[in-house]
Amino acid sequence: MNIVLFRDCQVRVMEDTVTNTEKYFGQFCLLLAAYTRKTARLRDKADKLVKQLIDFANTENLEMRTTLRNFAEDLAKVQDYRQAEVERLEFKVVNPLKLYGTQIKQTQAEIKKFKRVRNHEIKQLEKLEKLRQKSPSDRQMISQAETCVQRASVDAGRTTHQLEETVDAFQKQKLKDLQKILSDFVTIEMVFHAKAVEVYSSAFQTLERYDPERDLEDFRAKMHGVHRPHGPRDARPLTDTGPAAAAPWSLAQSAQSTMRSHRKAAASEDSSAVEDPVEDLRGQGQGLHH
């Protein structure tokens, strides 16, 4: 019975490994999927904010209008990068975790198969013990029972070895996959935030350059019915230059159209940029170890 107890201990370790993977990988998948959905909702809210900024800009004087439109353009660009972040999280983080459900079920099926073989071995051992107690002189029956026990033991040993190989391969792949999934998650987040900081810095500079005194002068002149001519001023329009008499709502619609057209381009740019930081980080890590 000692060998049976040893196999039970082996299988308990294997079963715990698979059970823990099923529990925690399932939670990782649910939480990271929720994280991705919330990021997508944040992108949608920011898109609405961009539209409101454009709408409001069209009601203001030239300096504030120009500043808000430039600021909105930067904010829209951040959402383009956030869209790329969402797509890559779904593809490189959430989907690989979803696939683990199938691998776990296959490994659990192998464990169940072993348990059936082990139970058969235990039954044969119990049968042999009963024969030895009830009919110790019946050598023929005892010999047959011993043969059955031997066959069951060989079958259990072979199944245990196969299960060891299966669970070992499962554990090895699991560790590598978790390392890659979390590395991809961190890399995707770092790339997004690095690009966002760059664009937000531009947005900050836009706000810093704003001079409220010019708009205040225009406002005071309007209140007193005085027309103030405007010379050319620096602006970064969201769309191509159109007719001078374009309606305010058409400017807002054009801004939204531009955001959609640029989103794919930014996603493509972000996608190609994700791979480079991985190599850079690995190179830095190797340099630290030398």
Side-chain angles (χ1 to χ4, degrees):
M1 290 290 288
N2 287 339
I3 187 66
V4 175
L5 293 175
F6 176 71
R7 287 183 187 136
D8 277 347
C9 290
Q10 278 185 298
V11 173
R12 196 172 298 114
V13 171
M14 299 180 204
E15 196 168 20
D16 286 346
T17 296
V18 177
T19 300
N20 288 334
T21 303
E22 180 180 34
K23 175 184 176 181
Y24 289 104
F25 272 49
Q27 289 298 316
F28 294 157
C29 186
L30 288 173
L31 291 171
L32 286 166
Y35 181 99
T36 303
R37 289 194 300 272
K38 285 184 180 295
T39 302
R41 286 198 287 271
L42 178 59
R43 171 208 60 204
D44 294 341
K45 293 295 184 183
D47 282 343
K48 291 180 180 179
L49 175 59
V50 169
K51 184 180 183 304
Q52 290 299 310
L53 286 168
I54 298 296
D55 288 346
F56 178 66
N58 292 326
T59 69
E60 287 294 308
N61 291 321
L62 182 60
E63 288 295 325
M64 178 55 77
R65 181 164 65 247
T66 300
T67 298
L68 284 179
R69 291 179 66 194
N70 291 341
F71 178 81
E73 180 185 3
D74 283 335
L75 187 58
K77 190 174 182 181
V78 172
Q79 306 326 306
D80 294 341
Y81 290 129
R82 203 184 301 276
Q83 171 65 20
E85 176 195 13
V86 168
E87 291 174 359
R88 295 192 70 81
L89 284 172
E90 184 71 26
F91 179 70
K92 303 198 77 172
V93 177
V94 177
N95 285 345
L97 286 170
K98 286 180 180 178
L99 296 176
Y100 255 84
T102 301
Q103 292 177 264
I104 289 169
K105 285 182 173 60
Q106 291 172 347
T107 307
Q108 287 173 332
E110 291 296 320
I111 293 175
K112 287 180 180 178
K113 176 183 175 183
F114 167 80
K115 286 183 175 180
R116 288 194 298 268
V117 174
R118 180 203 58 186
N119 290 338
H120 177 68
E121 180 186 22
I122 292 172
K123 285 181 182 178
Q124 294 301 320
L125 283 168
E126 291 173 345
K127 184 178 178 182
L128 175 61
E129 288 300 316
K130 286 180 181 178
L131 277 173
R132 284 173 175 169
Q133 291 176 5
K134 291 183 178 180
S135 307
S137 59
D138 192 344
R139 298 305 305 167
Q140 183 178 358
M141 291 294 294
I142 291 175
S143 178
Q144 289 177 354
E146 287 175 342
T147 301
C148 290
V149 167
Q150 188 176 6
R151 288 174 181 171
S153 181
V154 170
D155 194 17
R158 183 176 61 253
T159 305
T160 302
H161 181 67
Q162 291 173 348
L163 183 60
E164 283 179 14
E165 291 180 343
T166 299
V167 176
D168 185 86
F170 172 83
Q171 178 72 353
K172 181 180 180 181
Q173 190 63 46
K174 179 196 79 175
L175 296 175
K176 287 183 177 180
D177 287 346
L178 185 59
Q179 179 188 32
K180 185 177 189 309
I181 288 168
L182 294 180
S183 294
D184 285 342
F185 171 75
V186 171
T187 302
I188 291 165
E189 291 298 293
M190 284 193 300
V191 168
F192 165 73
H193 287 291
K195 290 180 176 294
V197 166
E198 181 182 349
V199 179
Y200 280 136
S201 297
S202 171
F204 179 80
Q205 293 300 321
T206 295
L207 295 173
E208 284 290 291
R209 287 192 299 267
Y210 172 65
D211 181 6
E213 289 301 320
R214 293 182 181 179
D215 278 338
L216 194 55
E217 290 174 6
D218 288 344
F219 175 71
R220 288 167 178 166
K222 283 182 181 179
M223 281 199 303
H224 293 88
V226 179
H227 175 69
R228 288 173 55 85
H230 294 290
R233 293 182 184 174
D234 180 35
R236 291 181 294 155
L238 287 174
T239 59
D240 293 337
T241 305
W249 57 83
S250 69
L251 289 174
Q253 291 171 349
S254 297
Q256 290 295 306
S257 176
T258 303
M259 281 193 294
R260 286 193 296 270
S261 65
H262 286 305
R263 185 148 290 172
K264 288 186 177 180
S268 176
E269 177 187 345
D270 188 52
S271 175
S272 61
V274 167
E275 306 302 333
D276 294 336
V278 178
E279 298 302 323
D280 292 343
L281 289 169
R282 287 173 181 163
Q284 291 172 11
Q286 290 171 357
L288 288 171
H289 289 297
H290 287 314

